[in-house]
């Protein structure tokens, strides 16, 4: 009887051990969002969530304790918000903003303070999120379309201001009140006059990005009926009857 061939293959190196999962910290004040992200990013994607935080202070303490590879950070959180915590967190790990807000000044300030990426909820798939996390760890910036549009708005407005002889910056020198308006805090803008709640502002941002009620409901983890109720309140505050009218006023082009 002939002997069975050997299953070993001399001369071939053993298979390389699997790379350890990429370790993540999620900072978001919404427990449903944290749970959803943890489920998505711990499901065979080569990533694992090692810690969660409800605000910037908890995120900093958790980052010191767990030393994650990447931090996913929301913008609007009670206590210490994401923008305030960002300069401290980027010293510990690459940070990617993962938020509903793509307000122009907020996007610009986040990237100026060292964020490695800026993703807006509803503008990416699970696969794109996983790829973006890995890219940010390797130093490759990732920005979703809503945030990109915000940056383009900044660039265009800056170019327009520099091309005008009497720019707001020049006139502000002799007008202290105008100067104080130019130095308004991040996250504050002409939109504040509409007096939308935080949730309404998030939904209006999603409307402006072109999302349907169904997509907004999925992105915000609420029902379509709740979305419709919010939109009715938004339209009343913006004195609008259509999505296009509301978007034009919200973006400052009406």
């Amino acid at each position: 009887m002939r002997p069975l061939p050997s299953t070993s293959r001399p001369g071939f190196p053993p298979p390389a051990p699997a790379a350890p999962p990429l370790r993540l910290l999620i900072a978001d004040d919404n427990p449903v969002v944290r749970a959803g992200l943890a489920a998505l990013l711990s499901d065979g994607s080569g990533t694992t969530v090692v810690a969660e935080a409800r605000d910037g202070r908890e995120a900093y303490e958790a980052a010191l304790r767990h030393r994650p590879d990447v931090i996913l950070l929301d913008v609007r959180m009670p206590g210490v918000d994401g923008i305030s915590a960002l300069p401290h967190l980027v010293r510990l790990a690459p940070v990617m903003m993962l938020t509903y807000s793509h307000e122009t000044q907020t996007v610009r300030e986040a990237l100026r303070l060292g964020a490695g990426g800026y993703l807006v909820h509803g503008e990416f798939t699970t696969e794109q999120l996983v790829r973006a996390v890995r890219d940010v760890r390797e130093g490759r910036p990732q920005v979703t379309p809503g945030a990109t549009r915000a940056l383009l708005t900044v660039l265009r407005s800056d170019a327009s201001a520099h091309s005008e002889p009497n720019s707001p910056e020049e006139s502000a020198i002799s007008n202290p009140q105008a100067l104080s308006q130019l130095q308004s805090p991040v996250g504050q803008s002409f939109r504040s006059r509409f007096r939308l709640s935080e949730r309404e502002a998030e939904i209006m941002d999603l409307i402006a990005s072109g999302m349907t009620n169904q997509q907004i409901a999925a992105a915000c983890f609420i029902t379509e009926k709740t979305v419709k109720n919010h939109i009715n309140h938004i339209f009343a505050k913006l004195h609008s009857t259509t999505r296009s009218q509301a978007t034009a006023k919200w973006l400052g082009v009406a």
Side-chain angles (χ1 to χ4, degrees), residues 42-112:
S42 298
D43 187 20
S45 60
T47 58
T48 184
V49 176
V50 297
E52 298 179 15
R54 295 172 295 181
D55 66 9
R57 184 179 301 278
E58 284 190 7
Y60 182 72
E61 293 171 351
L64 284 175
R65 188 164 55 252
H66 295 278
R67 296 292 176 175
D69 297 313
V70 176
I71 299 170
L72 305 183
L73 183 65
D74 188 18
V75 169
R76 297 182 177 131
M77 295 181 289
V80 180
D81 61 52
I83 296 296
S84 299
L86 183 55
H88 307 282
L89 294 173
V90 294
R91 299 171 188 168
L92 304 176
V95 177
M96 182 167 67
M97 309 307 292
L98 189 58
T99 178
Y100 289 104
S101 173
H102 49 63
E103 187 178 30
T104 301
Q105 296 299 328
T106 303
V107 175
R108 179 169 64 175
E109 187 69 0
L111 297 178
R112 186 185 72 82

Side-chain angles (χ1 to χ4, degrees), residues 41 96 119 122-135 142 144-145:
L41 294 167
M96 182 167 67
L119 271 60
E123 296 186 351
F124 54 85
T125 64
T126 302
E127 293 76 14
Q128 290 169 335
L129 174 60
V130 173
R131 185 165 60 250
V133 166
R134 295 191 175 282
D135 283 346
Q142 288 291 330
T144 51

Side-chain angles (χ1 to χ4, degrees), residues 12-28:
F12 283 86
L22 191 149
R23 305 168 72 254
L24 305 174
L25 186 160
I26 299 174
D28 194 297

